[in-house]
Amino acid sequence: QVQLQQSGAELAKPGSSVKISCKASGYTFTSYYISWIKQTTGQGLEYIGYINTGSGGTNYNEKFKGKATLTVDKSSSTAFMQLSSLTPDDSAVYYCARESSLFAYWGQGTLVTVSS
Amino acid sequence: DIVMTQSPSSLAVSAGETVTINCKSSQSLLSSGNQKNYLAWYQQKPGQSPKLLIYLASTRESGVPDRFIGSGSGTDFTLTISSVQAEDLADYYCQQHYSYPWTFGGGTKLELK
């Protein structure tokens, strides 16, 4: 069965970076893009962007350009998202999801807390 | 970007009631090519990831009970839950899958009265 397993919760200081992973299994990794979605209590669900898992090409929501960097390691069927120059506004749960304009499969979410 | 607006933001219901959640898009989600509406609904229970319920406005995902009914066209859409059960208490989100970047509604919390 399709599974997306994300890395654990992160506690980071303002100005630092974090890198979250999303390991896929149960399907051919390079057949689907991986997308990332941010969830906060105040802003709901926000689409960050996707990575083409075959070519490594990326497409970002304008709002997250410069904040998120998406990469992939095909050899381990793992997608990564690095968040840089963290501020308290980046505190959220971040999900990876298998992309097909719809999101039928999601990771379990990674809580990122930005605090000094 | 297409803005998705959901209403109400919360709804208190009793088991067995029928509820309606509304979603309005800032642009039409109807494709002129195939006459399909690119609107999806998700359910999110506490501590869980969102679950896809409906896509193309009215197509239920495999395994979704038929008490969940999606309808609407153009810019106005509705999720109806017939005879609400305790397991349906959750947050519900609409999402347009018409044009990139995909965008979500603000959510509707379904609570027990």
Side-chain angles (χ1 to χ4, degrees), chain A residues 37 39 45 47 49-50 59-61 95 99 101-104 106-108, chain B residues 1 40 42 44 48-50 52 55 61 93 95 97 100-102 104 106:
Chain A
I37 295 150
Q39 184 170 36
L45 295 164
Y47 184 76
Y50 69 77
N59 199 338
Y60 297 95
N61 185 344
Y95 292 98
E99 153 97 37
S101 78
L102 293 168
F103 308 105
W106 297 65
Q108 82 276 23
Chain B
D1 298 1
Y42 296 83
Q44 186 178 30
Q48 296 185 16
S49 305
L52 177 64
Y55 58 96
E61 179 74 336
Y93 296 92
Q95 177 228 335
H97 55 114
Y100 190 85
W102 322 125
F104 295 86

PDB file of all heavy atoms in Angstrom, chain A residues 37 39 45 47 49-50 59-61 95 99 101-104 106-108, chain B residues 1 40 42 44 48-50 52 55 61 93 95 97 100-102 104 106:
ATOM      1  N   ILE A  37       2.614  20.770   1.817  1.00  0.00           N
ATOM      2  CA  ILE A  37       1.489  21.593   2.249  1.00  0.00           C
ATOM      3  C   ILE A  37       1.694  21.988   3.705  1.00  0.00           C
ATOM      4  O   ILE A  37       2.099  21.156   4.529  1.00  0.00           O
ATOM      5  CB  ILE A  37       0.171  20.798   2.081  1.00  0.00           C
ATOM      6  CG1 ILE A  37      -0.082  20.511   0.599  1.00  0.00           C
ATOM      7  CG2 ILE A  37      -1.013  21.547   2.697  1.00  0.00           C
ATOM      8  CD1 ILE A  37      -0.837  19.245   0.335  1.00  0.00           C
ATOM      9  N   GLN A  39       0.172  23.541   7.264  1.00  0.00           N
ATOM     10  CA  GLN A  39      -1.073  23.707   8.004  1.00  0.00           C
ATOM     11  C   GLN A  39      -0.833  24.424   9.306  1.00  0.00           C
ATOM     12  O   GLN A  39      -0.049  23.991  10.147  1.00  0.00           O
ATOM     13  CB  GLN A  39      -1.761  22.373   8.278  1.00  0.00           C
ATOM     14  CG  GLN A  39      -3.126  22.546   8.967  1.00  0.00           C
ATOM     15  CD  GLN A  39      -3.937  21.280   9.025  1.00  0.00           C
ATOM     16  OE1 GLN A  39      -3.422  20.180   9.196  1.00  0.00           O
ATOM     17  NE2 GLN A  39      -5.257  21.424   8.858  1.00  0.00           N
ATOM     18  N   LEU A  45      -4.815  25.327   5.335  1.00  0.00           N
ATOM     19  CA  LEU A  45      -3.909  24.566   4.471  1.00  0.00           C
ATOM     20  C   LEU A  45      -3.379  25.468   3.369  1.00  0.00           C
ATOM     21  O   LEU A  45      -4.154  26.103   2.648  1.00  0.00           O
ATOM     22  CB  LEU A  45      -4.654  23.375   3.859  1.00  0.00           C
ATOM     23  CG  LEU A  45      -5.128  22.307   4.848  1.00  0.00           C
ATOM     24  CD1 LEU A  45      -6.159  21.401   4.210  1.00  0.00           C
ATOM     25  CD2 LEU A  45      -3.938  21.483   5.341  1.00  0.00           C
ATOM     26  N   TYR A  47      -0.648  25.560   0.051  1.00  0.00           N
ATOM     27  CA  TYR A  47       0.150  24.752  -0.862  1.00  0.00           C
ATOM     28  C   TYR A  47       1.506  25.410  -1.057  1.00  0.00           C
ATOM     29  O   TYR A  47       1.593  26.579  -1.420  1.00  0.00           O
ATOM     30  CB  TYR A  47      -0.586  24.641  -2.188  1.00  0.00           C
ATOM     31  CG  TYR A  47       0.077  23.758  -3.190  1.00  0.00           C
ATOM     32  CD1 TYR A  47       0.007  22.376  -3.059  1.00  0.00           C
ATOM     33  CD2 TYR A  47       0.781  24.291  -4.258  1.00  0.00           C
ATOM     34  CE1 TYR A  47       0.628  21.552  -3.969  1.00  0.00           C
ATOM     35  CE2 TYR A  47       1.396  23.456  -5.181  1.00  0.00           C
ATOM     36  CZ  TYR A  47       1.321  22.091  -5.037  1.00  0.00           C
ATOM     37  OH  TYR A  47       1.928  21.276  -5.947  1.00  0.00           O
ATOM     38  N   GLY A  49       4.351  23.793  -2.883  1.00  0.00           N
ATOM     39  CA  GLY A  49       4.897  23.516  -4.194  1.00  0.00           C
ATOM     40  C   GLY A  49       5.111  22.032  -4.390  1.00  0.00           C
ATOM     41  O   GLY A  49       4.801  21.229  -3.512  1.00  0.00           O
ATOM     42  N   TYR A  50       5.647  21.699  -5.573  1.00  0.00           N
ATOM     43  CA  TYR A  50       5.872  20.285  -5.850  1.00  0.00           C
ATOM     44  C   TYR A  50       7.252  20.072  -6.455  1.00  0.00           C
ATOM     45  O   TYR A  50       7.892  21.000  -6.960  1.00  0.00           O
ATOM     46  CB  TYR A  50       4.802  19.723  -6.789  1.00  0.00           C
ATOM     47  CG  TYR A  50       4.844  20.231  -8.218  1.00  0.00           C
ATOM     48  CD1 TYR A  50       5.786  19.756  -9.130  1.00  0.00           C
ATOM     49  CD2 TYR A  50       3.912  21.169  -8.661  1.00  0.00           C
ATOM     50  CE1 TYR A  50       5.815  20.212 -10.432  1.00  0.00           C
ATOM     51  CE2 TYR A  50       3.934  21.627  -9.967  1.00  0.00           C
ATOM     52  CZ  TYR A  50       4.886  21.153 -10.848  1.00  0.00           C
ATOM     53  OH  TYR A  50       4.907  21.610 -12.145  1.00  0.00           O
ATOM     54  N   ASN A  59       8.370  23.425  -8.697  1.00  0.00           N
ATOM     55  CA  ASN A  59       7.469  24.545  -8.935  1.00  0.00           C
ATOM     56  C   ASN A  59       6.957  24.990  -7.579  1.00  0.00           C
ATOM     57  O   ASN A  59       6.417  24.171  -6.826  1.00  0.00           O
ATOM     58  CB  ASN A  59       6.317  24.115  -9.838  1.00  0.00           C
ATOM     59  CG  ASN A  59       5.626  25.298 -10.493  1.00  0.00           C
ATOM     60  OD1 ASN A  59       5.713  26.418 -10.012  1.00  0.00           O
ATOM     61  ND2 ASN A  59       4.932  25.053 -11.585  1.00  0.00           N
ATOM     62  N   TYR A  60       7.150  26.270  -7.272  1.00  0.00           N
ATOM     63  CA  TYR A  60       6.792  26.778  -5.952  1.00  0.00           C
ATOM     64  C   TYR A  60       5.629  27.767  -6.043  1.00  0.00           C
ATOM     65  O   TYR A  60       5.546  28.586  -6.968  1.00  0.00           O
ATOM     66  CB  TYR A  60       7.980  27.513  -5.325  1.00  0.00           C
ATOM     67  CG  TYR A  60       9.189  26.642  -5.061  1.00  0.00           C
ATOM     68  CD1 TYR A  60      10.225  26.556  -5.988  1.00  0.00           C
ATOM     69  CD2 TYR A  60       9.298  25.916  -3.873  1.00  0.00           C
ATOM     70  CE1 TYR A  60      11.336  25.762  -5.754  1.00  0.00           C
ATOM     71  CE2 TYR A  60      10.418  25.129  -3.623  1.00  0.00           C
ATOM     72  CZ  TYR A  60      11.422  25.053  -4.563  1.00  0.00           C
ATOM     73  OH  TYR A  60      12.527  24.263  -4.322  1.00  0.00           O
ATOM     74  N   ASN A  61       4.767  27.706  -5.052  1.00  0.00           N
ATOM     75  CA  ASN A  61       3.800  28.765  -4.834  1.00  0.00           C
ATOM     76  C   ASN A  61       4.610  30.033  -4.574  1.00  0.00           C
ATOM     77  O   ASN A  61       5.590  30.016  -3.806  1.00  0.00           O
ATOM     78  CB  ASN A  61       2.924  28.404  -3.636  1.00  0.00           C
ATOM     79  CG  ASN A  61       1.798  29.389  -3.399  1.00  0.00           C
ATOM     80  OD1 ASN A  61       1.799  30.506  -3.912  1.00  0.00           O
ATOM     81  ND2 ASN A  61       0.828  28.971  -2.618  1.00  0.00           N
ATOM     82  N   TYR A  95       3.041  18.832   5.670  1.00  0.00           N
ATOM     83  CA  TYR A  95       2.714  17.528   5.104  1.00  0.00           C
ATOM     84  C   TYR A  95       3.355  17.376   3.731  1.00  0.00           C
ATOM     85  O   TYR A  95       3.396  18.342   2.951  1.00  0.00           O
ATOM     86  CB  TYR A  95       1.201  17.383   4.906  1.00  0.00           C
ATOM     87  CG  TYR A  95       0.373  17.316   6.159  1.00  0.00           C
ATOM     88  CD1 TYR A  95      -0.270  18.438   6.654  1.00  0.00           C
ATOM     89  CD2 TYR A  95       0.203  16.103   6.830  1.00  0.00           C
ATOM     90  CE1 TYR A  95      -1.063  18.370   7.792  1.00  0.00           C
ATOM     91  CE2 TYR A  95      -0.576  16.028   7.973  1.00  0.00           C
ATOM     92  CZ  TYR A  95      -1.202  17.163   8.444  1.00  0.00           C
ATOM     93  OH  TYR A  95      -1.979  17.086   9.572  1.00  0.00           O
ATOM     94  N   GLU A  99       1.219  13.879  -5.380  1.00  0.00           N
ATOM     95  CA  GLU A  99       0.532  14.902  -6.155  1.00  0.00           C
ATOM     96  C   GLU A  99      -0.038  14.371  -7.465  1.00  0.00           C
ATOM     97  O   GLU A  99       0.646  13.691  -8.218  1.00  0.00           O
ATOM     98  CB  GLU A  99       1.532  16.033  -6.470  1.00  0.00           C
ATOM     99  CG  GLU A  99       1.264  16.824  -7.712  1.00  0.00           C
ATOM    100  CD  GLU A  99       0.526  18.114  -7.460  1.00  0.00           C
ATOM    101  OE1 GLU A  99       0.791  18.744  -6.431  1.00  0.00           O
ATOM    102  OE2 GLU A  99      -0.309  18.496  -8.291  1.00  0.00           O
ATOM    103  N   SER A 101      -2.653  16.782  -8.745  1.00  0.00           N
ATOM    104  CA  SER A 101      -3.555  17.936  -8.583  1.00  0.00           C
ATOM    105  C   SER A 101      -4.513  17.676  -7.416  1.00  0.00           C
ATOM    106  O   SER A 101      -5.052  18.600  -6.829  1.00  0.00           O
ATOM    107  CB  SER A 101      -4.338  18.292  -9.855  1.00  0.00           C
ATOM    108  OG  SER A 101      -5.434  17.426 -10.062  1.00  0.00           O
ATOM    109  N   LEU A 102      -4.690  16.403  -7.105  1.00  0.00           N
ATOM    110  CA  LEU A 102      -5.425  15.978  -5.915  1.00  0.00           C
ATOM    111  C   LEU A 102      -4.445  15.296  -4.981  1.00  0.00           C
ATOM    112  O   LEU A 102      -3.381  14.866  -5.400  1.00  0.00           O
ATOM    113  CB  LEU A 102      -6.507  14.955  -6.287  1.00  0.00           C
ATOM    114  CG  LEU A 102      -7.650  15.461  -7.138  1.00  0.00           C
ATOM    115  CD1 LEU A 102      -8.441  14.272  -7.648  1.00  0.00           C
ATOM    116  CD2 LEU A 102      -8.527  16.399  -6.347  1.00  0.00           C
ATOM    117  N   PHE A 103      -4.841  15.160  -3.729  1.00  0.00           N
ATOM    118  CA  PHE A 103      -3.942  14.577  -2.736  1.00  0.00           C
ATOM    119  C   PHE A 103      -4.631  13.383  -2.061  1.00  0.00           C
ATOM    120  O   PHE A 103      -5.293  13.533  -1.037  1.00  0.00           O
ATOM    121  CB  PHE A 103      -3.536  15.637  -1.713  1.00  0.00           C
ATOM    122  CG  PHE A 103      -2.997  16.875  -2.378  1.00  0.00           C
ATOM    123  CD1 PHE A 103      -3.744  18.025  -2.447  1.00  0.00           C
ATOM    124  CD2 PHE A 103      -1.744  16.857  -2.968  1.00  0.00           C
ATOM    125  CE1 PHE A 103      -3.260  19.160  -3.076  1.00  0.00           C
ATOM    126  CE2 PHE A 103      -1.241  17.980  -3.604  1.00  0.00           C
ATOM    127  CZ  PHE A 103      -2.000  19.139  -3.658  1.00  0.00           C
ATOM    128  N   ALA A 104      -4.456  12.223  -2.679  1.00  0.00           N
ATOM    129  CA  ALA A 104      -5.087  11.016  -2.151  1.00  0.00           C
ATOM    130  C   ALA A 104      -4.235  10.353  -1.078  1.00  0.00           C
ATOM    131  O   ALA A 104      -4.739   9.561  -0.285  1.00  0.00           O
ATOM    132  CB  ALA A 104      -5.367  10.032  -3.284  1.00  0.00           C
ATOM    133  N   TRP A 106      -1.189  11.141   1.892  1.00  0.00           N
ATOM    134  CA  TRP A 106      -0.498  12.149   2.673  1.00  0.00           C
ATOM    135  C   TRP A 106       0.475  11.470   3.646  1.00  0.00           C
ATOM    136  O   TRP A 106       0.217  10.361   4.125  1.00  0.00           O
ATOM    137  CB  TRP A 106      -1.492  12.955   3.515  1.00  0.00           C
ATOM    138  CG  TRP A 106      -2.506  13.748   2.751  1.00  0.00           C
ATOM    139  CD1 TRP A 106      -3.502  13.273   1.942  1.00  0.00           C
ATOM    140  CD2 TRP A 106      -2.643  15.172   2.757  1.00  0.00           C
ATOM    141  NE1 TRP A 106      -4.242  14.312   1.435  1.00  0.00           N
ATOM    142  CE2 TRP A 106      -3.749  15.494   1.923  1.00  0.00           C
ATOM    143  CE3 TRP A 106      -1.967  16.218   3.388  1.00  0.00           C
ATOM    144  CZ2 TRP A 106      -4.162  16.810   1.692  1.00  0.00           C
ATOM    145  CZ3 TRP A 106      -2.382  17.524   3.167  1.00  0.00           C
ATOM    146  CH2 TRP A 106      -3.476  17.807   2.322  1.00  0.00           C
ATOM    147  N   GLY A 107       1.544  12.186   3.963  1.00  0.00           N
ATOM    148  CA  GLY A 107       2.360  11.769   5.087  1.00  0.00           C
ATOM    149  C   GLY A 107       1.635  12.089   6.385  1.00  0.00           C
ATOM    150  O   GLY A 107       0.560  12.704   6.382  1.00  0.00           O
ATOM    151  N   GLN A 108       2.233  11.694   7.488  1.00  0.00           N
ATOM    152  CA  GLN A 108       1.582  11.892   8.785  1.00  0.00           C
ATOM    153  C   GLN A 108       1.784  13.297   9.330  1.00  0.00           C
ATOM    154  O   GLN A 108       1.197  13.662  10.347  1.00  0.00           O
ATOM    155  CB  GLN A 108       2.079  10.848   9.807  1.00  0.00           C
ATOM    156  CG  GLN A 108       3.406  11.175  10.474  1.00  0.00           C
ATOM    157  CD  GLN A 108       4.615  10.748   9.653  1.00  0.00           C
ATOM    158  OE1 GLN A 108       4.545  10.593   8.438  1.00  0.00           O
ATOM    159  NE2 GLN A 108       5.732  10.560  10.354  1.00  0.00           N
TER     160      GLN A 108
ATOM    161  N   ASP B   1      -4.078  33.808  -8.048  1.00  0.00           N
ATOM    162  CA  ASP B   1      -4.467  32.565  -7.414  1.00  0.00           C
ATOM    163  C   ASP B   1      -5.982  32.551  -7.176  1.00  0.00           C
ATOM    164  O   ASP B   1      -6.591  33.587  -6.921  1.00  0.00           O
ATOM    165  CB  ASP B   1      -3.754  32.404  -6.063  1.00  0.00           C
ATOM    166  CG  ASP B   1      -2.246  32.332  -6.180  1.00  0.00           C
ATOM    167  OD1 ASP B   1      -1.732  32.431  -7.322  1.00  0.00           O
ATOM    168  OD2 ASP B   1      -1.580  32.189  -5.142  1.00  0.00           O
ATOM    169  N   ALA B  40     -12.465  19.603  -5.016  1.00  0.00           N
ATOM    170  CA  ALA B  40     -12.333  18.424  -4.153  1.00  0.00           C
ATOM    171  C   ALA B  40     -12.701  18.769  -2.717  1.00  0.00           C
ATOM    172  O   ALA B  40     -12.643  19.938  -2.312  1.00  0.00           O
ATOM    173  CB  ALA B  40     -10.911  17.884  -4.208  1.00  0.00           C
ATOM    174  N   TYR B  42     -12.015  17.374   1.408  1.00  0.00           N
ATOM    175  CA  TYR B  42     -11.216  16.555   2.309  1.00  0.00           C
ATOM    176  C   TYR B  42     -11.830  16.583   3.701  1.00  0.00           C
ATOM    177  O   TYR B  42     -12.420  17.580   4.111  1.00  0.00           O
ATOM    178  CB  TYR B  42      -9.788  17.086   2.410  1.00  0.00           C
ATOM    179  CG  TYR B  42      -9.009  17.035   1.116  1.00  0.00           C
ATOM    180  CD1 TYR B  42      -9.153  18.046   0.167  1.00  0.00           C
ATOM    181  CD2 TYR B  42      -8.141  15.984   0.844  1.00  0.00           C
ATOM    182  CE1 TYR B  42      -8.457  18.003  -1.027  1.00  0.00           C
ATOM    183  CE2 TYR B  42      -7.433  15.937  -0.346  1.00  0.00           C
ATOM    184  CZ  TYR B  42      -7.595  16.948  -1.272  1.00  0.00           C
ATOM    185  OH  TYR B  42      -6.898  16.898  -2.454  1.00  0.00           O
ATOM    186  N   GLN B  44     -10.656  15.959   7.744  1.00  0.00           N
ATOM    187  CA  GLN B  44      -9.499  15.810   8.634  1.00  0.00           C
ATOM    188  C   GLN B  44      -9.971  15.625  10.067  1.00  0.00           C
ATOM    189  O   GLN B  44     -10.580  16.534  10.641  1.00  0.00           O
ATOM    190  CB  GLN B  44      -8.559  17.015   8.537  1.00  0.00           C
ATOM    191  CG  GLN B  44      -7.274  16.824   9.337  1.00  0.00           C
ATOM    192  CD  GLN B  44      -6.327  17.998   9.207  1.00  0.00           C
ATOM    193  OE1 GLN B  44      -6.738  19.129   9.030  1.00  0.00           O
ATOM    194  NE2 GLN B  44      -5.027  17.722   9.295  1.00  0.00           N
ATOM    195  N   GLN B  48      -4.943  13.640  12.654  1.00  0.00           N
ATOM    196  CA  GLN B  48      -4.741  12.864  11.438  1.00  0.00           C
ATOM    197  C   GLN B  48      -4.480  13.782  10.249  1.00  0.00           C
ATOM    198  O   GLN B  48      -4.731  14.985  10.293  1.00  0.00           O
ATOM    199  CB  GLN B  48      -5.975  12.000  11.142  1.00  0.00           C
ATOM    200  CG  GLN B  48      -6.249  10.935  12.192  1.00  0.00           C
ATOM    201  CD  GLN B  48      -7.410  10.032  11.785  1.00  0.00           C
ATOM    202  OE1 GLN B  48      -7.831   9.980  10.632  1.00  0.00           O
ATOM    203  NE2 GLN B  48      -7.935   9.283  12.756  1.00  0.00           N
ATOM    204  N   SER B  49      -3.984  13.176   9.187  1.00  0.00           N
ATOM    205  CA  SER B  49      -3.802  13.906   7.935  1.00  0.00           C
ATOM    206  C   SER B  49      -5.149  14.015   7.230  1.00  0.00           C
ATOM    207  O   SER B  49      -6.064  13.215   7.480  1.00  0.00           O
ATOM    208  CB  SER B  49      -2.826  13.145   7.031  1.00  0.00           C
ATOM    209  OG  SER B  49      -1.614  12.905   7.706  1.00  0.00           O
ATOM    210  N   PRO B  50      -5.284  15.013   6.358  1.00  0.00           N
ATOM    211  CA  PRO B  50      -6.525  15.101   5.582  1.00  0.00           C
ATOM    212  C   PRO B  50      -6.741  13.855   4.740  1.00  0.00           C
ATOM    213  O   PRO B  50      -5.791  13.195   4.312  1.00  0.00           O
ATOM    214  CB  PRO B  50      -6.289  16.332   4.698  1.00  0.00           C
ATOM    215  CG  PRO B  50      -5.311  17.169   5.475  1.00  0.00           C
ATOM    216  CD  PRO B  50      -4.405  16.163   6.120  1.00  0.00           C
ATOM    217  N   LEU B  52      -8.920  12.470   1.342  1.00  0.00           N
ATOM    218  CA  LEU B  52      -9.698  12.860   0.170  1.00  0.00           C
ATOM    219  C   LEU B  52     -11.046  12.148   0.183  1.00  0.00           C
ATOM    220  O   LEU B  52     -11.110  10.921   0.266  1.00  0.00           O
ATOM    221  CB  LEU B  52      -8.928  12.502  -1.104  1.00  0.00           C
ATOM    222  CG  LEU B  52      -9.627  12.785  -2.430  1.00  0.00           C
ATOM    223  CD1 LEU B  52      -9.871  14.276  -2.618  1.00  0.00           C
ATOM    224  CD2 LEU B  52      -8.791  12.230  -3.589  1.00  0.00           C
ATOM    225  N   TYR B  55     -13.825  14.328  -5.424  1.00  0.00           N
ATOM    226  CA  TYR B  55     -13.117  15.121  -6.418  1.00  0.00           C
ATOM    227  C   TYR B  55     -14.019  15.323  -7.630  1.00  0.00           C
ATOM    228  O   TYR B  55     -15.084  14.699  -7.730  1.00  0.00           O
ATOM    229  CB  TYR B  55     -11.785  14.472  -6.810  1.00  0.00           C
ATOM    230  CG  TYR B  55     -11.926  13.066  -7.373  1.00  0.00           C
ATOM    231  CD1 TYR B  55     -11.972  12.833  -8.737  1.00  0.00           C
ATOM    232  CD2 TYR B  55     -11.990  11.966  -6.513  1.00  0.00           C
ATOM    233  CE1 TYR B  55     -12.093  11.570  -9.246  1.00  0.00           C
ATOM    234  CE2 TYR B  55     -12.122  10.674  -7.022  1.00  0.00           C
ATOM    235  CZ  TYR B  55     -12.168  10.482  -8.378  1.00  0.00           C
ATOM    236  OH  TYR B  55     -12.295   9.210  -8.876  1.00  0.00           O
ATOM    237  N   GLU B  61     -14.371   9.338  -3.630  1.00  0.00           N
ATOM    238  CA  GLU B  61     -13.187   8.494  -3.618  1.00  0.00           C
ATOM    239  C   GLU B  61     -13.613   7.101  -3.175  1.00  0.00           C
ATOM    240  O   GLU B  61     -14.593   6.919  -2.437  1.00  0.00           O
ATOM    241  CB  GLU B  61     -12.146   9.086  -2.659  1.00  0.00           C
ATOM    242  CG  GLU B  61     -10.846   8.320  -2.513  1.00  0.00           C
ATOM    243  CD  GLU B  61      -9.894   8.440  -3.702  1.00  0.00           C
ATOM    244  OE1 GLU B  61     -10.352   8.721  -4.825  1.00  0.00           O
ATOM    245  OE2 GLU B  61      -8.683   8.222  -3.503  1.00  0.00           O
ATOM    246  N   TYR B  93     -12.429  20.506   4.323  1.00  0.00           N
ATOM    247  CA  TYR B  93     -11.797  21.515   3.479  1.00  0.00           C
ATOM    248  C   TYR B  93     -12.161  21.267   2.023  1.00  0.00           C
ATOM    249  O   TYR B  93     -12.177  20.115   1.564  1.00  0.00           O
ATOM    250  CB  TYR B  93     -10.270  21.443   3.601  1.00  0.00           C
ATOM    251  CG  TYR B  93      -9.737  21.763   4.967  1.00  0.00           C
ATOM    252  CD1 TYR B  93      -9.520  20.768   5.907  1.00  0.00           C
ATOM    253  CD2 TYR B  93      -9.424  23.078   5.323  1.00  0.00           C
ATOM    254  CE1 TYR B  93      -9.029  21.054   7.166  1.00  0.00           C
ATOM    255  CE2 TYR B  93      -8.928  23.379   6.584  1.00  0.00           C
ATOM    256  CZ  TYR B  93      -8.739  22.365   7.498  1.00  0.00           C
ATOM    257  OH  TYR B  93      -8.247  22.662   8.749  1.00  0.00           O
ATOM    258  N   GLN B  95     -10.906  22.178  -1.964  1.00  0.00           N
ATOM    259  CA  GLN B  95      -9.666  22.484  -2.683  1.00  0.00           C
ATOM    260  C   GLN B  95      -9.985  22.552  -4.158  1.00  0.00           C
ATOM    261  O   GLN B  95     -10.679  21.678  -4.696  1.00  0.00           O
ATOM    262  CB  GLN B  95      -8.611  21.400  -2.458  1.00  0.00           C
ATOM    263  CG  GLN B  95      -7.319  21.619  -3.239  1.00  0.00           C
ATOM    264  CD  GLN B  95      -6.827  20.390  -3.984  1.00  0.00           C
ATOM    265  OE1 GLN B  95      -7.120  19.255  -3.629  1.00  0.00           O
ATOM    266  NE2 GLN B  95      -6.069  20.604  -5.051  1.00  0.00           N
ATOM    267  N   HIS B  97      -8.762  22.033  -7.850  1.00  0.00           N
ATOM    268  CA  HIS B  97      -7.711  21.377  -8.621  1.00  0.00           C
ATOM    269  C   HIS B  97      -7.881  21.738 -10.095  1.00  0.00           C
ATOM    270  O   HIS B  97      -7.667  20.917 -10.994  1.00  0.00           O
ATOM    271  CB  HIS B  97      -7.665  19.858  -8.362  1.00  0.00           C
ATOM    272  CG  HIS B  97      -8.938  19.086  -8.569  1.00  0.00           C
ATOM    273  ND1 HIS B  97      -9.077  18.144  -9.561  1.00  0.00           N
ATOM    274  CD2 HIS B  97     -10.097  19.077  -7.892  1.00  0.00           C
ATOM    275  CE1 HIS B  97     -10.286  17.598  -9.483  1.00  0.00           C
ATOM    276  NE2 HIS B  97     -10.925  18.142  -8.473  1.00  0.00           N
ATOM    277  N   TYR B 100      -3.104  25.834 -11.147  1.00  0.00           N
ATOM    278  CA  TYR B 100      -1.983  25.940 -10.217  1.00  0.00           C
ATOM    279  C   TYR B 100      -1.752  27.413  -9.836  1.00  0.00           C
ATOM    280  O   TYR B 100      -1.874  28.278 -10.701  1.00  0.00           O
ATOM    281  CB  TYR B 100      -0.731  25.378 -10.881  1.00  0.00           C
ATOM    282  CG  TYR B 100       0.431  25.223  -9.949  1.00  0.00           C
ATOM    283  CD1 TYR B 100       0.560  24.076  -9.164  1.00  0.00           C
ATOM    284  CD2 TYR B 100       1.389  26.220  -9.824  1.00  0.00           C
ATOM    285  CE1 TYR B 100       1.616  23.933  -8.286  1.00  0.00           C
ATOM    286  CE2 TYR B 100       2.440  26.085  -8.950  1.00  0.00           C
ATOM    287  CZ  TYR B 100       2.552  24.946  -8.184  1.00  0.00           C
ATOM    288  OH  TYR B 100       3.599  24.823  -7.318  1.00  0.00           O
ATOM    289  N   PRO B 101      -1.450  27.737  -8.577  1.00  0.00           N
ATOM    290  CA  PRO B 101      -1.262  26.810  -7.459  1.00  0.00           C
ATOM    291  C   PRO B 101      -2.588  26.357  -6.861  1.00  0.00           C
ATOM    292  O   PRO B 101      -3.531  27.145  -6.748  1.00  0.00           O
ATOM    293  CB  PRO B 101      -0.464  27.649  -6.458  1.00  0.00           C
ATOM    294  CG  PRO B 101      -0.929  29.049  -6.693  1.00  0.00           C
ATOM    295  CD  PRO B 101      -1.182  29.144  -8.173  1.00  0.00           C
ATOM    296  N   TRP B 102      -2.645  25.089  -6.515  1.00  0.00           N
ATOM    297  CA  TRP B 102      -3.849  24.556  -5.886  1.00  0.00           C
ATOM    298  C   TRP B 102      -4.091  25.322  -4.589  1.00  0.00           C
ATOM    299  O   TRP B 102      -3.142  25.660  -3.871  1.00  0.00           O
ATOM    300  CB  TRP B 102      -3.685  23.064  -5.590  1.00  0.00           C
ATOM    301  CG  TRP B 102      -2.941  22.313  -6.643  1.00  0.00           C
ATOM    302  CD1 TRP B 102      -1.828  21.544  -6.489  1.00  0.00           C
ATOM    303  CD2 TRP B 102      -3.239  22.260  -8.048  1.00  0.00           C
ATOM    304  NE1 TRP B 102      -1.414  21.028  -7.680  1.00  0.00           N
ATOM    305  CE2 TRP B 102      -2.260  21.437  -8.663  1.00  0.00           C
ATOM    306  CE3 TRP B 102      -4.235  22.830  -8.853  1.00  0.00           C
ATOM    307  CZ2 TRP B 102      -2.253  21.169 -10.039  1.00  0.00           C
ATOM    308  CZ3 TRP B 102      -4.226  22.583 -10.224  1.00  0.00           C
ATOM    309  CH2 TRP B 102      -3.247  21.754 -10.798  1.00  0.00           C
ATOM    310  N   PHE B 104      -6.841  25.937  -1.050  1.00  0.00           N
ATOM    311  CA  PHE B 104      -7.810  25.323  -0.160  1.00  0.00           C
ATOM    312  C   PHE B 104      -8.722  26.371   0.470  1.00  0.00           C
ATOM    313  O   PHE B 104      -8.326  27.532   0.654  1.00  0.00           O
ATOM    314  CB  PHE B 104      -7.081  24.600   0.987  1.00  0.00           C
ATOM    315  CG  PHE B 104      -6.247  23.433   0.575  1.00  0.00           C
ATOM    316  CD1 PHE B 104      -4.935  23.615   0.157  1.00  0.00           C
ATOM    317  CD2 PHE B 104      -6.755  22.146   0.611  1.00  0.00           C
ATOM    318  CE1 PHE B 104      -4.138  22.539  -0.212  1.00  0.00           C
ATOM    319  CE2 PHE B 104      -5.971  21.048   0.244  1.00  0.00           C
ATOM    320  CZ  PHE B 104      -4.668  21.254  -0.170  1.00  0.00           C
ATOM    321  N   GLY B 106     -10.832  27.687   3.887  1.00  0.00           N
ATOM    322  CA  GLY B 106     -10.383  27.880   5.259  1.00  0.00           C
ATOM    323  C   GLY B 106     -10.828  26.799   6.228  1.00  0.00           C
ATOM    324  O   GLY B 106     -10.353  26.752   7.366  1.00  0.00           O
TER     325      GLY B 106
END
